[in-house]
Structure formats: C-alpha cells, structure tokens
C-alpha cells in the first residue's frame, strides 16, 4: 500500500487501531512492514501496541490528548490533575502532555511520542461524576466534574495524606474554590472512604475561609 493512499484513508480517523490495520492488510499482506517503516520515518506515531496516529506535526493535530485518552481506553474519563487544570482549580504545568484519567479497568500507563496517559483503576460504584464535553477539534470525551476531579486527585494521591488545609493551599495549590459546589461535595460523602469524608469537610472549610 502506498503512503499517500494510507494517509488519505486514515486522515479522518481519531485513532488507527488494529481493526483498521487488519482491514487494510487483507488487500496488502506487506502492510505491517510498511507500518513499521512509516513509524521509523516519523510519518505515523505509535501510541500503544497496534494503535497509531498520523504525525500531528506534519499532518495537523485533529484531536486533543484528552479526547485521545478516551479512545485508548474506552471505559474511562479524564480526571485528577488534568481535569483540575482544565477548570483552573490548580495551575496547569503539563500543558496536555500528561493526561490523567480514571477507569474501571486495571491501572496502566501509556508513554508515547505525543504524551503520557495515566489511568487509575476505581471500583464501579465510584465510576461516575463525569459529563461529556468536546475538545477544540469538536471531539467528544468524558470529563469529571470539578468536585469529582478534586476528590479523585486526593483519593489517588501517591502518598498517604492526612486531610489538611495546608496541603490544599501549598501542596495542591488549590485556587478558584468559589466555583466548587458544597452541595455536590457533600453528595460524595460515604462513597469513598472515611478519610475521604474528612477531606470533603476540609475542602468545604477551605472554601469558606477563602471566599469570605
């Protein structure tokens, strides 16, 4: 298969997956060798085993990493630091190069030429609190609410933390807390752990102190 024919056939796809490649391979047995060559040449970027995108530098970016994360793991939603930065609740230091998400599947990390995708496993009863939004390229993806993204971030923090106002201010650098709903926060009590219930009350106290 010639490169131009492959590019034309895939230019409107968010993700070139194994199913797509298998369809092309039915007509061209040498396709997989060509895919390896195009990857080495930088024409396409390998994200994970059997999944690629056209090089966004050469052919234009048609999907954000946030929306791309939902294609890599269908059963997921963007949350934690990525969602917090989206809502401007914390400073954005990754600029979309690292996407944090939550899934009912196993915890996993994908490192690719276009960014790093981190998925945290959560039990089914807590797999909620998100909505569907669109990225700047009109591609839909699931995004946690302000309140859920904050609770997810604290729940999955790599170190065990005791609920404290200081951590919210200095560790997480929480800002624009006036946009958080105390009603929504309280609705999550009893759905995580007793420690998370304490965090909810701490967040509410932090909001009260910073919105007087």
């Amino acid at each position: 298969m010639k490169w131009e024919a492959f590019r034309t056939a895939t230019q409107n796809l968010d993700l070139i997956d194994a199913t797509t490649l298998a369809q092309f391979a039915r007509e061209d047995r040498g396709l997989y060798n060509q895919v390896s060559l195009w990857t080495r040449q930088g024409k396409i970027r390998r994200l994970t085993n059997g999944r690629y995108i056209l090089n966004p530098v050469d052919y234009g970016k048609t999907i954000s990493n946030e929306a791309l994360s939902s294609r890599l793991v269908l059963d997921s939603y963007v949350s934690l630091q990525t969602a917090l930065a989206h809502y401007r609740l914390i400073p954005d230091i990754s600029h979309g190069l690292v996407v944090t998400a939550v899934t009912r599947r196993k915890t996993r990390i994908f490192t690719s030429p276009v960014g790093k995708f981190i998925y945290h496993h959560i039990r089914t009863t807590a797999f909620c609190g998100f909505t569907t939004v669109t990225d700047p390229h009109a591609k839909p993806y699931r995004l946690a609410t302000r309140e859920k993204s904050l609770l997810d971030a604290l729940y999955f923090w790599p170190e065990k933390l005791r609920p404290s106002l200081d951590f919210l201010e200095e560790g997480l650098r929480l800002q624009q807390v006036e946009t958080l709903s105390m009603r929504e926060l309280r609705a999550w009590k009893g759905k995580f752990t007793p420690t998370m219930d304490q965090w909810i009350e701490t967040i509410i106290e932090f909001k009260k102190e910073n919105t007087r």
Side-chain angles (χ1 to χ4, degrees):
M1 189 174 194
K2 299 295 185 180
W3 164 248
E4 284 303 321
F6 181 84
R7 183 184 68 82
T8 300
T10 60
Q11 63 185 354
N12 293 322
L13 298 178
D14 294 336
L15 190 67
I16 304 167
D17 58 17
T19 301
T20 301
L21 294 177
Q23 291 173 346
F24 292 148
R26 291 172 187 170
E27 301 178 1
D28 184 351
R29 294 183 179 180
L31 176 72
Y32 293 108
N33 289 332
Q34 287 295 100
V35 168
S36 296
L37 174 62
W38 295 331
T39 302
R40 292 194 301 271
Q41 292 175 339
K43 293 180 177 179
I44 59 177
R45 296 294 192 183
R46 178 181 174 275
L47 303 179
T48 66
N49 289 336
R51 288 181 284 188
Y52 304 81
I53 61 171
L54 297 179
N55 188 338
V57 175
D58 296 332
Y59 303 103
K61 192 172 179 67
T62 60
I63 185 172
S64 67
N65 280 4
E66 289 83 359
L68 188 58
S69 74
S70 70
R71 276 65 168 173
L72 292 174
V73 177
L74 297 178
D75 192 28
S76 68
Y77 64 89
V78 174
S79 188
L80 298 98
Q81 286 80 358
T82 301
L84 291 174
H86 171 84
Y87 292 121
R88 301 180 186 273
L89 287 168
I90 63 171
D92 184 2
I93 59 174
S94 73
H95 305 291
L97 295 178
V98 178
V99 177
T100 50
V102 172
T103 179
R104 284 179 289 193
R105 298 184 181 183
K106 66 180 182 179
T107 295
R108 61 182 69 183
I109 299 174
F110 298 136
T111 301
S112 77
V114 301
K116 187 175 184 179
F117 303 87
I118 304 173
Y119 300 87
H120 296 271
H121 166 75
I122 201 169
R123 62 180 183 271
T124 299
T125 54
F127 188 81
C128 50
F130 53 82
T131 186
T132 300
V133 300
T134 56
D135 72 1
H137 308 281
K139 301 300 173 64
Y141 67 98
R142 292 170 171 175
L143 178 69
T145 63
R146 288 175 171 81
E147 296 75 22
K148 185 64 188 314
S149 60
L150 177 54
L151 296 177
D152 282 343
L154 294 169
Y155 182 72
F156 288 110
W157 200 264
E159 301 171 359
K160 288 187 177 181
L161 301 170
R162 295 183 61 182
S164 72
L165 299 174
D166 287 344
F167 177 79
L168 294 177
E169 182 173 7
E170 299 175 8
L172 198 57
R173 299 169 67 187
L174 191 61
Q175 59 192 21
Q176 298 192 18
V177 291
E178 68 277 3
T179 62
L180 292 171
S181 167
M182 290 191 286
R183 179 180 178 181
E184 291 295 325
L185 286 167
R186 289 195 174 103
W188 285 101
K189 293 191 72 172
K191 295 183 179 180
F192 281 94
T193 63
T195 299
M196 289 305 300
D197 288 348
Q198 294 174 30
W199 267 119
I200 291 171
E201 291 303 321
T202 303
I203 295 166
I204 291 172
E205 183 182 352
F206 185 82
K207 176 179 177 177
K208 289 178 178 178
E209 288 194 1
N210 287 273
T211 55
R212 289 173 181 171

